Amino acid sequence: MVSRVRVWLNRTYAENVFFMDQLRRNPSDRAVEIHATHGDPDSPVLAAADTAELEPEGLSPAGYVEYALDQCARRGIDVFVPRLHQSAIVAHRAEFEAAGTAVLAPPPEAVAVFQDKVIAYEAVQAIGVPVPPWWRVRSADELVAAVEELEGAGHKACFKPASGAGGVGFRVITRSPFSMVQLNGFPSPYVPLDLVLEALRRAEEPVDWLVMPRLEQPEVSVDCLTGPDNRIRMAIGRTKNGRRRGFTLHEQWLDPARRIAEGFGLHHLSNIQFRMFGDRPVLMDVNTRPAGGLHQLSLCGVNAPWAAVQLALGEDPGEVVPPFLGQDYTVVSGPRPLRPVSLPQQRPEASEPLAAVPAPAGPVVDAAGTPPLQDLAASVPRPTGLPT
């Protein structure tokens, strides 16, 4: 009898409830038990897991590694999918392997390259992958110089942190003064240059920003699965153009993604993002972790989370090729159950760990028969019509 697989996801995105769903619905019909930890008791990943705990706050990276090793030993974890403190964890891969846990993440050298976007851009340029023009900015004067050069070439200037994940801190520079335009409607990424300069001059510490031209759509995120032998097993592009999403296997996106994944040893799951600069694709970002939208590949008949777990366990899934490309779609929010409320909400001080209990099989209700609060952050793909 084949034993069940025990998988742990640490402090991860709400969308990874779908990653968990796919592991349970794996094509090998293998039993999977999922452990989840998070700092937010209302994270939907805690409710979706079979066992769950609140993570301790305030741990240093080294302290978190000790916590993680203890979790793996106590919970009998076979595969650990780290997001929080990924770089510290992969540096101790041998200790996790000694505890019987495979770490589903790239080696420390690959993680280090892509933690800093400047280092990443220089590294990928060296292997022939095009990147947009960029400036590293730490002061108001450096920002003005970069913006003026970009605007002189006819581009809109934008900036983002030199290190960081997702779109956190991304802003687009405008010369328009602050007005009611910024206060009407929804918040905008556009910020007036004079306000940015004022904030920089008043800041107590220098910033570390990457300034570049505003890149155009489509945005293409290539989800990659790469083996420890540096050979890629899967490369599928997910396209985004406004609300419309779709899939692509065009080599203008896949070829540079393969070169990056294989050339830098981005073992297991990674996500490599491109946008257009003029008439050619250029690298936008590299994530050394599974993308939040990875589950959308299920619309192409692909279960990427399970293929990655197989690879981590030493069971090579072979080349993962989509049997078809799904129709275009959009993403909408949908409800997901939360754990029964066991801690006061909005409690500022540290909370006790959640008890490790099996996740409910169906909707949870309280003593009065009322369903618990629902989390609307998890996104579900919905078709938009025929592909274009």
Side-chain angles (χ1 to χ4, degrees):
M1 180 178 178
V2 179
S3 63
R4 62 98 172 95
V5 180
R6 184 87 164 134
V7 180
W8 173 27
L9 282 76
N10 76 342
R11 198 174 304 202
T12 191
Y13 308 111
E15 278 188 311
N16 274 335
V17 293
F18 304 118
F19 187 104
M20 298 157 77
D21 291 344
Q22 285 190 282
L23 288 181
R24 292 192 178 103
R25 296 195 302 265
N26 66 81
S28 303
D29 200 25
R30 185 95 170 261
V32 176
E33 291 182 6
I34 298 173
H35 181 56
T37 58
H38 208 284
D40 179 3
D42 288 338
S43 168
V45 300
L46 297 180
D50 296 290
T51 59
E53 287 186 20
L54 275 178
E55 293 185 353
E57 295 292 341
L59 290 180
S60 66
Y64 193 90
V65 170
E66 292 301 316
Y67 162 78
L69 285 165
D70 178 69
Q71 286 282 310
C72 290
R74 288 195 298 112
R75 299 290 180 187
I77 301 299
D78 299 300
V79 178
F80 177 21
V81 187
R83 189 201 66 82
L84 183 67
H85 292 310
Q86 186 193 65
S87 59
I89 288 162
V90 296
H92 292 265
R93 186 187 301 271
E95 295 170 52
F96 286 94
E97 290 176 347
T101 301
V103 179
L104 201 156
E109 300 81 8
V111 173
V113 168
F114 295 104
Q115 278 187 309
D116 185 301
K117 291 179 173 61
V118 171
I119 295 173
Y121 277 14
E122 290 174 341
V124 300
Q125 270 186 302
I127 64 168
V129 174
V131 301
W134 52 268
W135 290 258
R136 190 166 206 161
V137 162
R138 292 188 171 92
S139 69
D141 290 342
E142 289 178 348
L143 177 64
V144 170
V147 170
E148 288 181 347
E149 190 161 349
L150 281 167
E151 290 179 343
H155 303 297
K156 290 181 181 177
C158 63
F159 64 86
K160 57 186 176 181
S163 61
V168 176
F170 172 81
R171 298 292 188 273
V172 182
I173 294 288
T174 176
R175 297 279 186 165
S176 301
F178 187 81
S179 67
M180 290 302 297
V181 172
Q182 278 79 25
L183 299 179
N184 290 329
F186 293 103
S188 164
Y190 284 85
V191 289
L193 177 61
D194 59 339
L195 295 186
V196 179
L197 294 174
E198 180 184 350
L200 278 174
R201 290 171 178 139
R202 292 170 54 189
E204 296 181 359
E205 297 180 358
V207 297
D208 189 8
W209 288 345
L210 204 64
V211 177
M212 62 178 61
R214 175 76 185 268
L215 301 176
E216 301 302 323
Q217 293 184 325
E219 179 179 318
V220 177
S221 293
V222 182
D223 294 307
C224 297
L225 177 63
T226 309
D229 57 359
N230 292 344
R231 184 170 61 84
I232 204 159
R233 308 301 199 273
M234 180 191 79
I236 304 172
R238 290 182 288 113
T239 66
K240 181 166 71 172
N241 200 337
R243 177 171 286 183
R244 181 171 291 271
R245 312 284 181 97
F247 304 100
T248 181
L249 295 177
H250 198 292
E251 285 299 316
Q252 72 172 341
W253 313 106
L254 269 54
D255 177 67
R258 287 194 198 97
R259 279 191 278 162
I260 292 170
E262 294 183 336
F264 294 97
L266 291 178
H267 302 166
H268 304 293
L269 288 168
S270 60
N271 176 255
I272 303 172
Q273 301 171 354
F274 302 89
R275 272 197 176 220
M276 299 299 292
F277 179 60
D279 59 357
R280 66 172 184 165
V282 294
L283 179 70
M284 185 169 68
D285 209 353
V286 175
N287 296 306
T288 59
R289 53 167 175 77
L294 181 69
H295 64 280
Q296 293 161 13
L297 295 184
S298 64
L299 297 177
C300 298
V302 170
N303 188 326
W306 178 244
V309 166
Q310 284 183 295
L311 195 59
L313 293 172
E315 304 166 5
D316 197 327
E319 188 176 2
V320 180
V321 179
F324 54 87
L325 291 184
Q327 71 180 81
D328 284 7
Y329 63 101
T330 191
V331 173
V332 297
S333 295
R336 295 288 298 200
L338 298 183
R339 293 176 63 91
V341 177
S342 57
L343 298 169
Q345 290 193 321
Q346 299 180 347
R347 182 178 176 179
E349 64 269 20
S351 304
E352 293 296 318
L354 292 173
V357 296
V364 179
V365 296
D366 61 21
T370 304
L373 295 174
Q374 305 287 308
D375 187 291
L376 297 179
S379 298
V380 185
R382 300 286 293 182
T384 59
L386 295 177
T388 55

